[in-house]
Amino acid sequence: MDYKSHARRKTGGLGLPEKTRKEVASKSSGGMEIILSSLENTQDLQTTLNILAILNELLTVGGGCRTGVFVSKGGTALLLQLLVGSSKDPPANEELMLHIHSLLVKVGLKDRKLGVKARLNGALNVTLNLVKYNLQNHKLLLPCLQVLRVYSSNLVNAVSLGKSGTLEIMFEIIGPFSKKSTTLLKVALDTLASLLKSGMNARRAVDRGYLPTLLTIYQDWHRNDTRHRHVVIRKSILGCIKNLTNIKLGRKAFIDANGMRILYNTSTECLPVRTLDPLVNTSSLIMRKCFPKNRLPLPTIKSVFHHPLLHIPASGPVAKLYNQPPGVDDVVDESDENEATEVDTENDTEYDEDETGPKTQNDDIETDINKLRPIQMNTRPFDELRAYEYFFREFSENFEDDDFESPRSVIPPSSVNSELHRPIIIPTTPSSLGPQNRRPPQEDLLTPKPDESPLELDSISISKRPEGTSDPDLVCSLGRLVLDAGVNGGSVDGPQDEGGEQAVLEVPDTAALLPLHDPDLYLEMVKSTRSVPAYTEVGYPDYFGHVALNLREPILERVYGVQRTKIFQDIERLIHPSDILDKVVYDLDNQSCPVTDNGESLKFNSKFESGNLRKAIQVRKFEYDLILNSDINSNHYHQWFYFEVGNMRPGVRYRFNIINCEKSNSQFNYGMQVLMYSVQDAINGSPHWVRTGSDICYYKNHFSRSSIAAGGQKGKSYFTLTFTVTFQHKDDVCYFAYHYPYTYSMLKMHLQKLSALRTAQIYYRQDDLCETLGGNSCPLLTITAMPGSSSNDPISQFRSRPVVFLSARVHPGETNSSWVMKGTLEYLMSCSPQAQSLRESYIFKIIPMLNPDGVINGNHRCSLSGEDLNRQWQNPNAELHPTIYHAKSLLQYLRATGRTPLVFCDYHGHSRKKNVFMYGCSIKETVWQTNVNTSTCDLHEDLGYRTLPKLLSQMAPAFSLSSCSFVVERSKEATARVVVWREIGVQRSYTMESTLCGCDQGKYKGLQIGTSELEEMGAQFCLALLRLKRFTSPLELHNHNSHLLDMETDLIETRSIPNITSPTTYVLEEDEPAFLEEVDYSAESNDEIDPDLEHDLQDNHAPQTPILTQSSAAKTHLTEIEPDSF
Ligand SMILES: [Zn+2]
């Protein structure tokens, strides 16, 4: 065989027969130990050389396995001692040095600690000196350089080698383009790149002017390597530049040396050749990093709407916001660079980053066993809770005959007040009205009027049609259409006979398509909805309604190169500044904007319930930068958007960039599309929200984020969500949203419609739990079955039904949770036998919208108090968090009266995971995760909390059991789920998370989720509760068929397994596969942990960022902490 003869030649005739080699080296024979021992003990140079030659041969042909044995037997240290020892007696024997370094190169592949061992043995400088004095002796230089490369991968070594002049030596080796010694050159470049990971070395290199040198060398290779034989070398040069630009000085030197243009031009020339992608990708990464940071074009990052709080929390982000001195620029910091990341860390990074240690334990897991045990005491005196009796009137009702025959109609106060007599509001859009009507009537948007009654919407004079005749026909039609709807409601006077030559368009009969929808009723509901900006307009989609699409909307396949293309377009803003329009076309901060012109700009609007868009800037003819508004009383949480676009040209590709996103990754990188609603399509009978947009990607941009907005961290950037849309119709009005909108007014409308579905069998009651900060009511529903009769037995059965407590939409941006809740409510009100059986089984207490104010005002995360209401359950404040305070009181009342709910579930949406899944609470599973010794495992815990998720996984196609987790985290201790579990004692206390994107398993695998799937989920949840009943009432269990018994066994079998090591995976990482275009921004800023957005440590892990070419193999890392979930 060839390798044998090759090895024999190489070792100068010392070749051994393969059999002997095997014997000598085999682990059992201890042959390696014998060799090493001989090496250690011999004083004779020739013997040493012979032994080294044998070792070299053994490790060459024996592969990693033998090298492993060599390392494990202490060979590394022996070699290093030999190296240092022989260097004390110069001149060193060249053959000896050659042998030792050749061996060390092999050892370096196996021994991760070689760098550290070399430093501790004092070997670094021995090798360095050999390099220094043998620059022309390539035979010796190459192995020495290879060893140096291994040494440099350790950061401490890199600093030390840098001080000894290694950078300068590398630059002596790296000359101009030459086809000779490319191997050597590659090793030198890689060594240099490693060295430049140290900030100290990088500064030294910048000071010596090496950055322009590297750029020149790169251009030299780019020009001369015409046949692309040396892409690896070109990539290594870029690798050096990339590490140099990790420091601020390096980025400045790069800009000064015209690096942007150089890399832009070379990349553009590389683009057509696919094999040069690594060069393009690394170049774009460098350019991205060096792109000068921009200021977000805003006067302040505080919400444009203000709602003064009567009571400002003593500490926390809201207090900070209020204590911010006037005049402080909160948009950008004086110094926007994070120098802290540039300080050399002398004591960490001892080993290569791929040193495999135990996986870092998530320190968010609760380890305090006492915090995992239920709280035994009632924390409030019952007298305080007595007032809540009112909300449980069903327990004291006697159901006298008349009541019994026609269920008591409890019409919510919010819908029966005097407003019924007010004229019907007309939905308006900018394009349907003359400009004078576009603004709210002399109301300053920034001035809150919390104590006023809702704005008299009907006081606005509405022109039926746009002024002038230049407006396109359809827009006229739209205007009239809406008016017609209003006229049908009998509210608007004025001539109705205009626009005669146009075909009369009809309001789509959404009431027929959508049983729970009624445009007129919707408008009625809007009138009693109080918004901080005092909205006077209504979004068309909310008015017309949305009918779920029948067609399947697949998860979008990510096109390779999209991100790169978008980034290049962004870089072109810098390269070709004259192309940039920078025209502000919509601006909530500036009342005189938008300026009405008949130009080519799109028209934007977001001044309607749940709307969110703060500013739109036309960047190029068909490209717009969009800025989202912060949650009220906050300066961040930008994610939810909902806005209207008009004046579009059909058939043109418009690029939209939402430029102030905050999360470090998004399902928009994994196939999720934005939602669009075309009013023209709605009029033409297709009132649908449709997944739309191409070229979608999400990446870090060049707009800096101030430390005020980033929880004190400097040097962070915002992220861009970009999507491209081609409009189908001329003069359409289209709406875009993050997810299917579901407004508070829509909820009220649905509840009215649902209450009308009552039958004699259904007990349905709607109460107002409380008034919110914004003056809206928070509905509380009670749904169950009427007692069979008013005689004693049925009434006592009625009163003994277990309570199921459900809530949703504490986070306004998670509109999917409202659609799931709608499915649940519709099911509960349906007339199927199962629904009746379900109602007979339980009393449902439901708060369908825990945060109406946030929903109304277009917030993403918070209530009007600027706080995340799902972090207030431990100690809710009656004034600041009324809905949580009273919801918790209801639960406390239930507990105090011995009616602790059987199930509590809070519906949420998850923006970074697929499928629907649950989080629950288990003391055992939490303890197991912390690897605390097993003595804690004698904890008694009923595994009943697993039953409902398991049932759901069997019944609901979107539900995924493997995504569920029952681990209690510290950062979640104030969430509904954990508090209800610990304080109220509800064992089955859950958060149910629905994806905003789609499913990667089950029937909907590969599809984006739609409202019908979400509603189905809500209905399946009900069915699962019905099945759960079999497992929670032992008497019934015996009466049921074997099928159910089998399932019971199946469900319970986990109980019989004493050691469930990891019953559910506690997922520390995003469950998304990597995609090719991963971009490393980790060096740019320490962007990984945001204390202010600490909520979701679950997905957090430390950054370990591979460079671009390896990224296809690398796991996508998502390091930001997501405030999204739970
Ligand atoms: Zn949530």
Side-chain angles (χ1 to χ4, degrees), residues 167 171 189 192-215 236-255 257 282 286 289-290 342 1083:
L167 290 172
F171 271 93
L189 283 166
L192 182 62
S194 285
L195 292 171
L196 293 177
K197 281 185 182 162
S198 139
M200 201 183 285
N201 288 341
R203 275 188 289 278
R204 178 193 292 264
V206 173
D207 286 345
R208 298 190 175 234
Y210 287 153
L211 202 141
T213 311
L214 284 168
L215 280 170
S236 293
I237 304 170
L238 289 176
C240 295
I241 298 175
K242 174 173 160 265
N243 288 348
L244 259 183
T245 50
N246 282 348
I247 62 164
K248 189 179 176 181
L249 266 178
R251 292 193 285 274
K252 188 177 176 301
F254 178 82
I255 296 286
T282 310
I286 296 167
K289 210 157 51 168
C290 297
E342 298 175 11

Side-chain angles (χ1 to χ4, degrees), residues 58 130 188 205 309 331 363 386 408 496-497 534 536 547 590 893 909 923 954 962 1019 1054 1079 1101:
L58 283 172
L130 282 168
L309 297 174
V331 182
D363 57 9
R386 200 180 296 280
R408 205 158 57 93
Q496 304 294 317
D497 55 346
T536 59
V547 180
N590 176 3
Y893 176 87
I923 182 166
Q954 291 166 350
S962 61
T1054 45
V1079 169
H1101 65 284

Side-chain angles (χ1 to χ4, degrees), residues 810-811 814 861 870 907-909 993 1123-1126:
V810 70
H811 294 141
E814 295 163 7
R861 184 78 181 173
N870 203 30
Y907 294 1
H908 283 247
E993 299 274 359
D1124 175 67
S1125 56
F1126 310 47

Side-chain angles (χ1 to χ4, degrees), residues 416-457:
V416 284
N417 53 27
S418 60
E419 285 150 10
L420 271 181
H421 305 293
R422 295 166 54 192
I424 287 177
I425 173 192
I426 306 303
T428 61
T429 72
S431 44
S432 66
L433 292 176
Q436 76 279 16
N437 298 310
R438 304 254 312 267
R439 265 161 255 148
Q442 308 315 311
E443 292 283 340
D444 184 356
L445 278 178
L446 303 170
T447 312
K449 309 234 182 306
D451 298 325
E452 279 181 21
S453 61
L455 188 66
E456 291 289 320
L457 298 164

Side-chain angles (χ1 to χ4, degrees), residues 684-731:
N684 293 326
S686 304
H688 305 300
W689 280 104
V690 181
R691 298 276 187 173
T692 196
S694 59
D695 287 9
I696 301 173
C697 68
Y698 187 95
Y699 56 89
K700 187 182 272 192
N701 65 26
H702 55 276
F703 289 99
S704 55
R705 200 166 148 191
S706 70
S707 57
I708 294 174
Q713 288 185 53
K714 286 190 170 185
K716 298 186 84 176
S717 294
Y718 285 104
F719 291 79
T720 290
L721 159 65
T722 181
F723 58 96
T724 300
V725 173
T726 308
F727 298 101
Q728 298 302 312
H729 311 293
K730 189 168 180 286
D731 306 315

